Amino acid sequence: MPEDPNPDRDLTPEVSAETDVARLGHTSPPPAHEQTADEDADVVDWDRVAAMEQFKALLKAKIAFIVPATLFFVVYYFALPVLVGWFPELMEKRIGPVNLAYVFALSQFFMAWAVAFVYLRKAAKFDEEARQIIARLDQPKGAKPE
Amino acid sequence: MSFLLAAAATTGAPASTGFHFTPALGMFLTFVLITLGITYWSARKSTGASNYFAAGRGITAWQNGLAVAGDYMSAASFLGIAGMIAFKGYDGFMYSVGWLVAYLTVLLVVAEPLRNAGKYTMADVLAYRLSPRPVRAMASLSTLTVSTFYMIAQMVGAGALVKLLLPGIGYEWAVTGVGVLMIVYVVFGGMLATTWVQIIKAVLLMSGSLFLSVLVLRHFDYSFVKFFEAVGKVPVAGPDGTIVHKDFLKPGLIFGLEVTKGWGPIDLISLGLALVFGTAGLPHVLVRFYTVPDAKTARISVVWAMIIIGAFYIMTTLLGFGAATILTPGKISVENMSAPLLAQALGGEIFFAFISAVAFATILAVVAGLTISASTSFAHDFYTNVLHHGRERAPGEEVRVARIAAFVVGAVAIFLAIKLQTINVAFLVGLAFAVAASANLPVIVLSLFWKRFNTAGAVWGLGVGLVGSIVLIILSPSVMDANGKALINAAPLFPLKNPGIVSIPLGFLAAWIATLMSNDHTSEAKFAELTVRANTGLGAEKATAH
């Protein structure tokens, strides 16, 4: 970012800049986020997208990954206090210089990283699907009445 | 840094004059100067709401990953968990695991939909389908509650820490100093300054921990076998003063059945639930995802944060076990001093000073993050959208209100932290997570995934989750103690310190029942829109051009 050429300028933001919550005078349309469904219904036909086979398939694929992955990590994580708390004899078994309890606790970190990396790879595919869905829409992304 | 050392050397250590210049103070002042410089730079750059609240949405993935980590790893993580492991061994390590695993919920469930469908706060996503004003009012109340509780815990901790690390600076001065700095970062520098304070803190914290870990390993000739042999027979001073050897890898010193009077690790499970569900509902973590250009960057930044946070907790094991094995028994009298004293023993005065300065930087970065999330929620959710129906009456009003709110939040936090000086407020951190998990997360998840969910469900879910967590904490051993060791001198009515195991189902249940009891079906009309936005990024807030 270069030095501000005019540091003494008026620091109030531009009226009706894209990031403003509302413009002065309330006459022009509010930015996308503050619009009601009726106001921005013409931007994208949301119901049409929601009904697209490709979009439904994307949602299904996402849920098919996220739900089992969440169940897996929750079970794996809570197995730690449960096993350590109620099955101490099992968890105190020696493994080399340490015990099973330590190995299992340490493995939680690698489990979390592994789930995260698998998700990153999956999500790249989801991104590609979403990009194709957007490309198929008549009105391209970002076309807003502004 | 040499001029600081020279200053420290010439000043010496006057015995009883109170204030004197130490290397720790010097390093801390250096950090303060650098962060104030960043604040000045950000203040010149930050104009406009999206710059002030969301750093122009121009933070990159690795930067945001560091900032999330810096926002999240509090002094309690750094000094507290290391101390817990140094004193109680394995159970302290088990305690630390949940803090990382919790980020999988953030990654898989909330980060991307939130970035795609929101603007500055979590309430943006709720307001999409639901009646905006009641939902935003409740969400703002919950956000302010979580932030204030967490902030007070941090500030009281900061004051206590200063007493230990910088003898001579009073508690009130320490708390006021931390409070004033966080106000300056947030009021003048906005999200950009806050982000960079968090990034610098994360880098300092990671390098300090890494260096200390290497020193610990060097002490054991870089041999993990030798290290764990020592951990297996840690000399501990017994009750009669004799030295006994204890296996610090053996579980049970904190969550064992006999220690907890038969409850076993239920309290830890309850905390784990609050972490796994609550981290994804912490307002100061969630606002960070609005500072990146898009959902993909948000996702990658969570993975960066997970790598950093995970590496940090693994190193904490080395620090904790290192303190237990290397420092002679009885040398550490306060748990929280384990890591700094270990640094002193292995790296000398200068490294002790560095680790102490890192501890301050840690507190400052966390409280600044809390302040900006609280003031953003007040200005954006409550002031603009609840009081003024989503219309700014003058350009820049929302930012101006946020700045005033940050000032007020900071002043209140300073005042409360000074008033609560003598009270053990560590339970407030658990309370913040419990509220985030029982109030915020249920309504975020239901609003994203359940078509039938409506305004009544959100208001009741937020209300019951919030009130339920607070009431259960008040009835818990953290606040009620028959031996007068807590705020209320009576036997606790709720057996667990962490209310999550009860309050989280309560929050979900309230949201579900209230939804079904209400005949309001208007929210279903916009479910398709929210789903499409959340999953494709169509119409998401863009980065401002720089």
Side-chain angles (χ1 to χ4, degrees):
Chain A
M1 184 76 184
E3 186 88 336
D4 192 333
N6 180 14
D8 298 323
R9 79 203 142 87
D10 184 4
L11 292 178
T12 43
E14 286 168 52
V15 172
S16 66
E18 195 188 7
T19 51
D20 265 3
V21 164
R23 292 99 211 280
L24 274 185
H26 305 181
T27 45
S28 51
H33 175 71
E34 298 296 332
Q35 287 173 342
T36 63
D38 299 333
E39 279 170 336
D40 69 356
D42 54 337
V43 177
V44 176
D45 185 347
W46 303 107
D47 290 318
R48 205 192 101 206
V49 182
M52 283 166 67
E53 283 308 316
Q54 209 178 352
F55 182 74
K56 285 190 201 157
L58 170 65
L59 274 193
K60 235 176 136 180
K62 275 192 169 183
I63 288 172
F65 178 79
I66 290 173
V67 172
T70 306
L71 286 176
F72 167 74
F73 90 75
V74 167
V75 169
Y76 195 92
Y77 168 58
F78 286 103
L80 175 68
V82 168
L83 288 175
V84 168
W86 286 288
F87 303 93
E89 321 76 39
L90 170 74
M91 299 308 278
E92 280 166 32
K93 252 176 93 168
R94 302 301 293 185
I95 298 181
V98 293
N99 57 16
L100 185 58
Y102 182 84
V103 173
F104 192 40
L106 191 64
S107 78
Q108 298 274 341
F109 291 89
F110 295 93
M111 177 278 292
W113 287 331
V115 172
F117 283 114
V118 172
Y119 177 66
L120 273 192
R121 297 186 60 128
K122 278 273 173 193
K125 288 200 192 99
F126 299 151
D127 284 348
E128 177 55 28
E129 291 278 317
R131 206 189 51 72
Q132 284 177 14
I133 291 170
I134 292 168
R136 281 180 57 179
L137 296 176
D138 297 330
Q139 259 180 310
K141 179 183 184 181
K144 289 176 204 160
E146 288 192 311
Chain B
M1 206 58 68
S2 57
F3 72 98
L4 294 171
L5 305 183
T10 50
T11 319
S16 59
T17 49
F19 184 83
H20 55 267
F21 198 85
T22 59
L25 185 60
M27 289 200 194
F28 180 58
L29 288 178
T30 312
F31 174 78
V32 168
L33 281 179
I34 292 170
T35 52
L36 287 179
I38 286 169
T39 309
Y40 179 72
W41 164 76
S42 313
R44 291 170 55 119
K45 221 175 142 170
S46 281
T47 56
S50 129
N51 276 327
Y52 182 81
F53 292 122
R57 309 192 197 282
I59 304 292
T60 65
W62 68 267
Q63 289 169 346
N64 197 47
L66 276 169
V68 169
D71 208 357
Y72 185 69
M73 296 183 298
S74 61
S77 309
F78 177 45
L79 305 178
I81 293 180
M84 218 171 179
I85 298 174
F87 276 67
K88 306 286 185 185
Y90 177 82
D91 281 17
F93 180 43
M94 182 162 76
Y95 173 87
S96 77
V97 168
W99 300 79
L100 172 72
V101 172
Y103 268 87
L104 283 175
T105 321
V106 180
L107 177 69
L108 297 175
V109 186
V110 298
E112 293 171 57
L114 213 70
R115 176 62 189 84
N116 275 335
K119 185 171 173 149
Y120 301 134
T121 63
M122 69 162 198
D124 289 339
V125 175
L126 307 179
Y128 237 107
R129 299 168 51 208
L130 313 175
S131 172
R133 293 179 71 216
V135 168
R136 280 193 193 267
M138 284 305 289
S140 185
L141 180 68
S142 164
T143 298
L144 288 170
T145 311
V146 171
S147 310
T148 319
F149 285 158
Y150 208 122
M151 205 180 319
I152 291 168
Q154 294 289 325
M155 304 256 292
V156 172
L161 205 63
V162 169
K163 269 202 251 175
L164 295 168
L165 297 175
L166 293 178
I169 294 185
Y171 176 91
E172 286 83 1
W173 283 108
V175 168
T176 312
V178 167
V180 168
L181 278 171
M182 87 187 177
I183 291 172
V184 168
Y185 297 151
V186 172
V187 170
F188 297 106
M191 188 48 118
L192 190 59
T194 307
T195 304
W196 279 98
V197 169
Q198 289 164 346
I199 291 174
I200 294 176
K201 165 267 180 88
V203 171
L204 286 176
L205 184 60
M206 293 306 286
S207 40
S209 309
L210 184 64
F211 189 60
L212 191 49
S213 304
V214 172
L215 289 182
V216 168
L217 283 179
R218 192 183 67 170
H219 186 87
F220 294 99
D221 305 326
Y222 301 102
S223 155
F224 278 102
V225 176
K226 276 190 189 173
F227 175 68
F228 282 112
E229 262 172 25
V231 174
K233 44 178 181 18
V234 172
V236 182
D240 51 351
T242 53
I243 301 290
V244 288
H245 289 268
K246 267 195 172 169
D247 181 0
F248 261 40
L249 281 182
K250 193 176 148 75
L253 285 180
I254 304 176
F255 306 111
L257 286 170
E258 55 287 357
V259 183
T260 53
K261 300 186 195 89
W263 286 97
I266 286 181
D267 223 332
L268 179 66
I269 292 171
S270 188
L271 173 73
L273 286 167
L275 293 176
V276 166
F277 290 95
T279 304
L282 280 182
H284 66 294
V285 171
L286 298 183
V287 290
R288 291 236 48 89
F289 300 121
Y290 294 121
T291 67
V292 295
D294 51 29
K296 187 181 175 196
T297 318
R299 174 203 310 148
I300 298 171
S301 75
V302 184
V303 177
W304 272 110
M306 286 180 69
I307 295 172
I308 296 160
I309 296 170
F312 172 74
Y313 284 122
I314 292 178
M315 290 194 289
T316 309
T317 342
L318 292 175
L319 308 190
F321 285 135
T325 48
I326 295 169
L327 300 178
T328 46
K331 192 174 174 194
I332 330 169
S333 51
V334 185
E335 260 190 41
N336 283 342
M337 285 298 280
S338 306
L341 287 177
L342 180 70
Q344 192 173 32
L346 293 176
E349 277 312 313
I350 298 306
F351 193 49
F352 171 77
F354 180 73
I355 290 293
S356 306
V358 167
F360 287 118
T362 291
I363 291 172
L364 271 175
V366 175
V367 290
L370 290 164
T371 309
I372 198 158
S373 69
S375 61
T376 302
S377 173
F378 180 82
H380 179 64
D381 294 331
F382 192 73
Y383 187 84
T384 301
N385 282 299
V386 176
L387 294 185
H388 295 107
H389 299 263
R391 296 279 179 261
E392 262 192 318
R393 289 176 308 175
E397 187 188 30
E398 199 170 49
V399 171
R400 208 155 45 239
V401 171
R403 290 191 155 123
I404 297 168
F407 185 82
V408 173
V409 166
V412 169
I414 295 173
F415 174 78
L416 287 176
I418 289 177
K419 286 281 155 209
L420 296 173
Q421 177 176 358
T422 53
I423 294 159
N424 182 359
V425 290
F427 70 90
L428 286 178
V429 173
L431 178 55
F433 275 91
V435 172
S438 320
N440 298 358
L441 188 88
V443 296
I444 294 175
V445 167
L446 293 175
S447 139
L448 285 172
F449 297 102
W450 188 27
K451 189 173 179 183
R452 174 77 170 82
F453 191 55
N454 59 26
T455 306
V459 170
W460 278 95
L462 284 164
V464 169
L466 177 65
V467 175
S469 312
I470 294 176
V471 168
L472 287 173
I473 279 271
I474 292 176
L475 302 179
S476 80
S478 303
V479 178
M480 298 180 84
D481 187 278
N483 303 322
K485 281 191 281 185
L487 283 169
I488 301 173
N489 198 356
L493 298 171
F494 180 72
L496 303 176
K497 287 184 173 158
N498 295 288
I501 202 166
V502 176
S503 63
I504 296 168
L506 268 184
F508 272 103
L509 209 64
W512 181 62
I513 292 174
T515 298
L516 295 181
M517 298 274 285
S518 157
N519 280 325
D520 174 14
H521 287 266
T522 50
S523 59
E524 292 178 26
K526 284 184 85 181
F527 186 67
E529 175 180 344
L530 182 65
T531 311
V532 172
R533 278 182 188 269
N535 287 290
T536 60
L538 267 171
E541 294 283 328
K542 304 267 184 321
T544 48
H546 278 295

